[in-house]
Amino acid sequence: MDRKKFSRLFVTPVLPYKPGSYDIDTDALRKFLRYFMQPKFVDAGGGIIINPVAGEIFFLTREEKKRVVKIAVEECGGKVPVFAGATDWTTRDTVEVAKDAKEAGADGIFIIPPSGPSDITISWNSVKHPEIWLDVVKAIDKAVDLPMIGHPTVVEVPGWGRSLALEPTLKMCTEVPNIVGWKMTYSYENYKKIAFGLRSLDHHVAILAGFASDFIEYIACDIFDGTSTGSWNYAMEPMVDQIESCRAGNLKEARRIAGLLYKLHRFVHEDKVHHHLRYKIAAWLRGLIPSPYMRPPMPRPEKEEVFTMREVLKGAGFSVISNEEIDATLNNRI
């Protein structure tokens, strides 16, 4: 396996619903995926992680997860790799979701820590008991034998925040060689610790940046192999330009784009309860999807944040839908 071929610009797309409902809008999903299949993203080394956290995998049925993967595989048509999220309440059911994804044609699996009771969520000591997640990943690996990208968000760990610490990270990447990428959900300093730790392994694990506002610094430090981020949902075109400017050594242009996007990225990520919702609000305001709503218990869009998002999008140079369209959607509360 050529491990470095997964050092790509992966987007974690939101999932469109039909206006006025929580039913998956398959036509809108196809259209949204085709937006990422334009040459600008494909030629830059793009990739798709379908059924990610931003795509509300926790609130989809098994059949819905499989249907979404099939659509992604069809629309991407081999132009970019498609990884698919795999999670459910039990290890057995998570493995079945992974097997469904492989059957649907996914190129790899996006692994997510388990959910459920406090024992394996808010009380889980991931440093002392890495097997809670590691055993799930090994079961997936045995069943599907596909490349995997990790999404290491866990309960608060002293010194590491809500991301998996270095020791269990290296343990997982060593014991499961099919892990080819690691989503970097870390603070700036911890990102560097994890990145240099991954670089110390005897095999390549792609360092996939999660926070678009810090791309320049990571590229400059040679700890940026690609991305795994929802920011592509709302700012694909300038983000590609910024990355390509950095890689070409045109730092003046890269800094210009970073300044243009600063307020937008900051607003999206400043509220950790709403940041996945804000990916969706921004994509909707740009006219890329038909609705900003997420399935409950995910939060609803607030009118004030919608209009703030509209202004920061316009400030970053994006066109947005009309006020009439905004009001019509917000007044049609599900």
Side-chain angles (χ1 to χ4, degrees):
M1 176 173 60
D2 177 9
R3 304 178 63 86
K4 290 191 175 182
K5 71 179 181 180
F6 302 111
S7 295
R8 305 183 70 93
L9 306 178
F10 286 99
V11 55
T12 53
V14 296
L15 182 63
Y17 296 134
K18 295 177 181 178
S21 82
Y22 294 116
D23 295 331
I24 297 172
D25 190 329
T26 55
D27 290 339
L29 175 59
R30 290 182 182 278
K31 181 181 177 182
F32 192 43
L33 290 168
R34 287 196 292 271
Y35 163 70
F36 291 107
M37 291 303 101
Q38 60 183 294
K40 188 174 190 72
F41 188 67
V42 173
D43 293 347
I48 300 290
I49 296 176
I50 201 68
N51 286 338
V53 177
E56 300 173 69
I57 186 172
F58 297 106
F59 306 116
L60 303 182
T61 66
R62 178 179 170 185
E63 183 53 42
E64 285 176 324
K65 294 170 190 173
K66 187 173 183 178
R67 176 157 39 108
V68 168
V69 177
K70 285 183 177 179
I71 289 171
V73 170
E74 290 170 3
E75 292 300 330
C76 293
K79 294 178 181 177
V80 302
V82 175
F83 278 60
T87 191
D88 212 306
W89 292 110
T90 68
T91 297
R92 180 188 63 185
D93 291 337
T94 298
V95 167
E96 292 302 313
V97 172
K99 289 165 67 175
D100 287 345
K102 182 175 183 177
E103 181 182 334
D107 300 293
I109 303 297
F110 190 54
I111 50 174
I112 303 167
S115 302
S118 63
D119 314 57
I120 59 171
T121 54
I122 61 174
S123 298
W124 174 35
N125 184 327
S126 56
V127 175
K128 185 177 180 181
H129 296 292
E131 73 278 359
I132 294 294
W133 187 20
L134 180 55
D135 286 352
V136 179
V137 174
K138 286 182 176 179
I140 294 171
D141 188 41
K142 182 178 180 181
V144 301
D145 188 26
L146 286 175
M148 292 185 278
I149 293 172
H151 185 293
T153 51
V154 298
V155 69
E156 191 84 20
V157 177
W160 289 97
R162 296 178 180 175
S163 297
L164 197 67
L166 179 60
E167 182 181 352
T169 295
L170 297 183
K171 181 179 178 65
M172 288 187 64
C173 292
T174 299
E175 295 189 12
V176 186
N178 264 338
I179 295 177
V180 297
W182 202 251
K183 178 169 182 171
M184 303 298 281
T185 58
Y186 301 85
S187 67
Y188 182 71
E189 287 301 320
N190 285 338
Y191 181 114
K192 289 189 286 187
K193 293 176 184 177
I194 294 290
F196 290 120
L198 293 174
R199 289 283 193 252
S200 73
L201 295 171
D202 61 5
H203 59 275
H204 181 74
V205 175
I207 299 166
L208 303 177
F211 298 112
S213 57
D214 297 330
F215 285 175
I216 293 177
E217 291 92 332
Y218 300 146
I219 293 172
C221 294
D222 194 26
I223 48 175
F224 177 100
D225 296 322
T227 71
S228 171
T229 180
S231 295
W232 294 110
N233 284 287
Y234 60 84
M236 184 270 283
E237 298 87 351
M239 284 170 59
V240 167
D241 290 341
Q242 183 189 39
I243 291 169
E244 293 191 333
S245 295
C246 283
R247 288 173 167 170
N250 187 352
L251 296 183
K252 182 178 180 180
E253 177 63 7
R255 287 196 298 266
R256 184 193 70 80
I257 298 170
L260 188 69
L261 296 178
Y262 173 73
K263 289 183 179 179
L264 175 57
H265 288 323
R266 184 182 65 179
F267 181 67
V268 168
H269 286 284
E270 69 183 8
D271 186 335
K272 291 304 178 186
V273 174
H274 276 225
H275 82 277
H276 288 114
L277 173 64
R278 289 181 180 182
Y279 292 153
K280 204 164 194 178
I281 292 171
W284 162 64
L285 287 173
R286 285 198 58 195
L288 299 173
I289 59 173
S291 168
Y293 292 100
M294 303 183 86
R295 285 182 177 173
M298 292 296 287
R300 290 178 176 271
E302 299 168 354
K303 192 167 186 178
E304 181 179 353
E305 79 178 323
V306 167
F307 283 98
T308 300
M309 182 70 80
R310 180 194 63 179
E311 294 308 306
V312 293
L313 279 167
K314 290 168 65 177
F318 294 107
S319 298
V320 296
I321 62 177
S322 68
N323 288 347
E324 291 75 18
E325 291 174 279
I326 294 172
D327 287 336
T329 298
L330 295 182
N331 291 334
N332 186 23
R333 293 172 67 88
I334 303 173

